Amino acid sequence: MEMSVSLLLMSLLSFALLFHVGTSLNYLRNRKHISGIPAFTEDTNYSNNNTVSDLTVCIPCRNEENNLRKTLTSLVNQSNKNISVLVLDDQSTDGTQQILEEFTKQYSNIKVIQGKEKPEGWLGKNWACHQLSEQITTQKTVFQDADVWLSPTALESITLLLDSYDAITVWPHQKVHSFTERLIVPSVYYSLFTLFPAAYLHRKPKWLPNLLYPRFKELFTAANGQFMAFNMETYSDIGGHNAVRNEVVEDMALARLVKRNNHSMGMFHGKNTVYCRMYHTSKEVWDGFGKNFMQGFPNMFTFISMGLLHLLVFILPVTVPFIIYANGSSTLSYTMYSLVLALLSVCLFTVQRLSLDWLFNWRASYSFLHIFSVIWFQALAIRLIWNKLSGRKVKWKGRPI
């Protein structure tokens, strides 16, 4: 390997190592700031004789026969009985309607709304949530996906938390069973815990000048639309789903509106409290992430830049031995230095993933395959860029996005 190539390689590997040191420190910090939902305490008392519901749970569903029964069963078994459940059937063509009829006959607090035809300029989920919001009569509400189910005390805790926050987002405890699920789904949480500065969700960074904070404060937001809760006064103030009618990543758009209007938002993970299984097959994983992966970035430049960054800090360290073998080495010291830098980077991001897998009871062995999840997302990004350039529309549940 020529000297100039060796120096370039070491410079890039040094940057990669510094990146992973930084994300490791941020991960440790986020373990404090993204905590689990506080446990239910026995001294909290709700009167089951109160005829006014404390909380409304809104569920948009379209062809959810495989998930809906578990979701509704978890809701009717809540310790807080003062809840009402609104389910919008968005023109389902499977057995969703039959399941809903079964539950509404048995439980009086479950109400089903038949979804209206989607108007021009609306996306399906946002339109469904907007229709649900028009039926809410309580001061507090939850919007959750139809594939989310809850522990018996989950809504009791959420109701209490909404006394302290204007809005809440929960990152559910993802249940993963297939090879592709175990490899790919935890990567979303890996990115959240290592890259997002959760401490600044609630306060201004000390290093950011006061003059600039109003312009950049919305960058310090993150949300998961699988489970979001609001005080209705806040929801109305930000414009609700009507304000994000055409946003593919509507959860982030809602979170930015909460921040923009100076409301407080709590962020928690749902370990042992709020559960979800997003996808079951490899195709579902590919299509599911494909519908909103690019939309999570402000523009194409940022999307491509992040892909190049991951190429540099994840894939380069793993390929260093092959690069050295293919090009030869100028000196033994340069070769050893490059290998050490690469090994340290690989060890750091593997340990990060191991810690996250331990937190959510995911299989630890998949931590050592994390590099393949990075490669998977690189392939997905290339496909999405091609779709964008060729004008191909992304579809989800039979509708173009």
Side-chain angles (χ1 to χ4, degrees), residues 110-270:
I110 298 178
K111 178 182 177 182
V112 176
I113 303 169
Q114 296 302 320
K116 299 176 183 178
E117 194 67 30
K118 182 175 67 69
E120 188 70 24
W122 282 83
L123 292 180
K125 180 181 178 181
N126 302 350
W127 171 238
C129 289
H130 175 68
Q131 293 175 82
L132 287 163
S133 71
E134 294 181 321
Q135 303 296 319
I136 297 171
T137 59
T138 56
Q139 295 180 352
K140 301 173 182 179
T141 190
V142 166
F143 290 93
Q144 72 168 70
D145 285 356
D147 54 4
V148 170
W149 67 98
L150 311 174
S151 70
T153 60
L155 292 182
E156 189 106 38
S157 298
I158 293 298
T159 304
L160 291 172
L161 286 171
L162 282 173
D163 291 332
S164 301
Y165 297 100
D166 298 320
I168 292 169
T169 184
V170 177
W171 295 80
H173 187 168
Q174 300 293 338
K175 292 298 184 179
V176 291
H177 299 286
S178 68
F179 174 83
T180 307
E181 289 175 90
R182 288 171 174 151
L183 181 66
I184 303 303
V185 172
S187 296
V188 178
Y189 285 57
Y190 177 89
S191 296
L192 172 71
F193 275 82
T194 59
L195 297 179
F196 178 66
Y200 303 142
L201 181 65
H202 306 293
R203 64 175 178 85
K204 184 187 80 67
K206 294 180 180 179
W207 47 265
L208 185 63
N210 292 331
L211 185 64
L212 296 178
Y213 181 62
R215 175 177 294 184
F216 293 102
K217 68 178 182 179
E218 292 176 29
L219 296 176
F220 304 109
T221 57
N224 190 319
Q226 293 171 335
F227 191 100
M228 296 187 74
F230 298 90
N231 282 299
M232 283 304 295
E233 184 178 349
T234 299
Y235 181 79
S236 298
D237 185 49
I238 66 174
H241 283 84
N242 183 52
V244 297
R245 62 179 65 186
N246 61 352
E247 296 282 353
V248 176
V249 191
E250 90 292 339
D251 46 10
M252 284 294 296
L254 287 169
R256 285 192 291 267
L257 287 172
V258 170
K259 191 87 168 181
R260 182 183 306 167
N261 289 276
N262 299 314
H263 294 292
S264 62
M265 172 169 274
M267 179 187 291
F268 302 90
H269 66 71

Side-chain angles (χ1 to χ4, degrees), residues 93-112:
T93 57
D94 61 358
T96 295
Q97 185 63 38
Q98 288 74 21
I99 296 173
L100 291 174
E101 290 175 356
E102 173 188 331
F103 274 84
T104 52
K105 287 178 181 178
Q106 190 173 357
Y107 301 98
S108 60
N109 64 330
I110 298 178
K111 178 182 177 182
V112 176

